[in-house]
Amino acid sequence: MKAFEQSAPGDYDMILMDVQMPVMNGYEATKAIRKSSHELAKTIPIIAMTANAFSEDIQHSLAASMNAHVSKPVEMKVLEKTIRSIKSGGGGHRTAGH
């Protein structure tokens, strides 16, 4: 979160957010990023990355203003497809699993 807040626009294209982290989980970090004063705070794509793939986990990710949810272990083809979808403008609130 601090790295993003201190970044210049263009430093990051997207954030791959681990959901289970110490101190602040990925949902809290995403909410903090979205509320920050950084000019890209509301628009930078954030993808949840977690082993939790139940529908309620996906909904929790979307409710935290993440753009997509990718299950671990991460399948590169799924991650690539998710990133392409978001970059092409069609990735709003998509989910990706196995």
Side-chain angles (χ1 to χ4, degrees):
M1 188 183 90
K2 289 180 185 175
F4 172 73
E5 288 179 339
Q6 295 170 358
S7 70
D11 284 354
Y12 296 104
D13 294 326
M14 182 173 297
I15 298 171
L16 304 179
M17 181 70 74
D18 190 354
V19 171
Q20 296 179 341
M21 299 182 296
V23 183
M24 179 181 286
N25 70 36
Y27 304 127
E28 294 165 339
T30 297
K31 288 176 184 177
I33 287 170
R34 295 295 190 216
K35 290 179 183 175
S36 79
S37 60
H38 193 284
E39 69 180 81
L40 299 179
K42 305 270 188 282
T43 58
I44 190 161
I46 301 176
I47 300 175
M49 313 251 334
T50 178
N52 300 329
F54 296 107
S55 61
E56 61 265 17
D57 298 307
I58 294 168
Q59 291 306 314
H60 201 139
S61 297
L62 301 180
S65 297
M66 294 180 177
N67 298 82
H69 182 283
V70 175
S71 300
K72 290 181 187 176
V74 175
E75 293 181 30
M76 288 309 295
K77 287 183 181 181
V78 171
L79 180 58
E80 289 169 3
K81 181 178 179 182
T82 302
I83 290 171
R84 271 196 304 275
S85 180
I86 289 171
K87 298 287 263 178
S88 69
H93 301 300
R94 298 179 64 89
T95 59
H98 291 356

